[in-house]
């Protein structure tokens, strides 16, 4: 069976510090991978998605970047965090060979920038 | 951008009652999906309905889709306290493997 991991679960960082959130998927190959951000009480905003190693599509211009160094690894980064980067970050995967794009989510990382 | 808009934003019912949530969207879709999110957790896929389907059932869930009105509804029958969560619709327009999520309905089921 497939599983998706995200870490850390919670993170408190000062403004201007760097960020690295990691997401890994097990039990599948060549998944589509996604990073979302969710503000408190709101819907999901798609930040980045990837259909293959080294292929990253950015949805929203911002202070963040993403990388996919391995097939089942997706990393969200920032060189200098802003207060507005606070939120709940969710990683998800879908079967790249399926035409239905059902997505499976990780447990999320709650980031607070102070 | 968020294509789906859920209605109502919040819903409070008693255990045993039915809960109905609605979703409207703007562009043509391949399918529409409903997800559930418990507080502080990731989303869980509930059900998918294709654009050529009008109704689908899964356990206590019933989903309808009206592509002419660009709307969908999720009905949870005989609700339980454990159904308390936020529910999101998501549309798949068939482009670039992306889903567009709505704003969500917060459902509270009380004993």
């Amino acid at each position: 069976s497939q599983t998706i991991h995200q870490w850390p679960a919670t993170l408190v960082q000062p403004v201007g510090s760097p960020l690295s959130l990691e997401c890994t998927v097990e039990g599948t190959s060549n998944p589509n991978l996604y990073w979302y951000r969710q503000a408190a009480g709101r819907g999901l905003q798609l930040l980045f998605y990837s259909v293959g190693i080294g292929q990253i599509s950015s949805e929203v211009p911002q202070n963040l970047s993403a990388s996919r160094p391995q097939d089942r690894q997706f990393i969200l980064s920032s060189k200098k965090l802003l207060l507005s980067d606070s939120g709940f970050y969710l990683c998800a995967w879908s079967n790249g060979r399926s035409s239905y794009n059902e997505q499976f989510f990780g447990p999320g990382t709650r980031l607070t920038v102070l | 951008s968020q294509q789906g808009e859920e209605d109502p934003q919040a819903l409070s019912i008693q255990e045993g009652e039915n809960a109905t949530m609605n979703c409207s969207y703007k562009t043509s879709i391949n399918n529409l999906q409903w997800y559930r999110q418990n507080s502080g957790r990731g989303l869980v896929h509930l059900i998918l309905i294709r654009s050529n389907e009008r109704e689908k059932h899964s356990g206590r869930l019933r989903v309808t889709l009206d592509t002419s009105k660009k709307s969908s509804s999720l009905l949870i029958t005989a609700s339980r306290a454990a159904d308390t969560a936020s529910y999101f619709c998501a549309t798949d327009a068939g482009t670039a493997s992306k889903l567009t999520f709505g704003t969500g309905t917060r459902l509270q089921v009380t004993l």
Side-chain angles (χ1 to χ4, degrees):
Chain A
S1 63
Q2 301 87 7
T3 55
I4 178 169
H5 304 279
Q6 277 187 253
W7 65 91
T10 60
L11 191 59
V12 180
Q13 291 284 101
V15 170
S17 64
L19 173 74
S20 180
L21 301 181
E22 189 161 344
C23 171
T24 59
V25 181
E26 296 176 356
T28 188
S29 60
N30 197 29
N32 295 333
L33 296 171
Y34 308 85
W35 277 113
Y36 293 90
R37 178 169 58 203
Q38 185 178 32
R42 303 291 298 276
L44 276 69
Q45 179 186 38
L46 179 62
L47 302 176
F48 301 94
Y49 69 96
S50 171
V51 298
I53 296 175
Q55 300 179 57
I56 308 294
S57 296
S58 174
E59 288 295 295
V60 182
Q62 58 203 323
N63 185 42
L64 302 170
S65 62
S67 62
R68 184 171 178 173
Q70 299 180 47
D71 181 45
R72 291 169 288 178
Q73 184 185 30
F74 206 23
I75 297 172
L76 184 68
S77 304
S78 173
K79 291 182 180 178
K80 289 185 177 181
L81 283 168
L82 306 172
L83 286 174
S84 58
D85 291 324
S86 293
F88 191 49
Y89 289 82
L90 288 159
C91 181
W93 73 273
S94 69
N95 183 343
R97 293 171 294 281
S98 169
S99 59
Y100 294 123
N101 199 21
E102 173 186 348
Q103 294 188 9
F104 303 91
F105 285 79
T109 294
R110 185 161 305 282
L111 172 66
T112 303
V113 182
L114 302 175
Chain B
S1 64
Q2 290 182 317
Q3 172 170 221
E5 295 289 335
E6 276 96 335
D7 165 52
Q9 289 187 338
L11 179 62
S12 182
I13 59 174
Q14 290 191 322
E15 204 170 46
E17 294 180 335
N18 295 341
T20 299
M21 290 159 268
N22 303 296
C23 168
S24 60
Y25 57 92
K26 297 176 183 174
T27 63
S28 297
I29 60 171
N30 275 4
N31 66 74
L32 185 144
Q33 303 174 31
W34 285 90
Y35 288 79
R36 165 195 168 123
Q37 183 182 33
N38 285 44
S39 181
R41 307 291 294 274
L43 278 72
V44 175
H45 182 270
L46 293 176
I47 194 167
L48 179 152
I49 186 166
R50 295 189 292 251
S51 61
N52 61 353
E53 296 177 311
R54 292 297 168 257
E55 187 171 313
K56 200 162 184 179
H57 297 255
S58 177
R60 294 184 295 113
L61 305 180
R62 173 178 170 253
V63 170
T64 61
L65 179 64
D66 187 335
T67 53
S68 66
K69 295 181 179 178
K70 292 187 169 57
S71 67
S72 174
S73 68
L74 172 67
L75 168 68
I76 304 175
T77 60
S79 64
R80 306 167 182 168
D83 294 327
T84 294
S86 291
Y87 292 82
F88 295 89
C89 67
T91 52
D92 181 353
T95 57
S97 306
K98 298 187 295 182
L99 293 179
T100 303
F101 283 82
T103 52
T105 293
R106 294 187 305 278
L107 173 66
Q108 176 76 42
V109 182
T110 57
L111 295 173

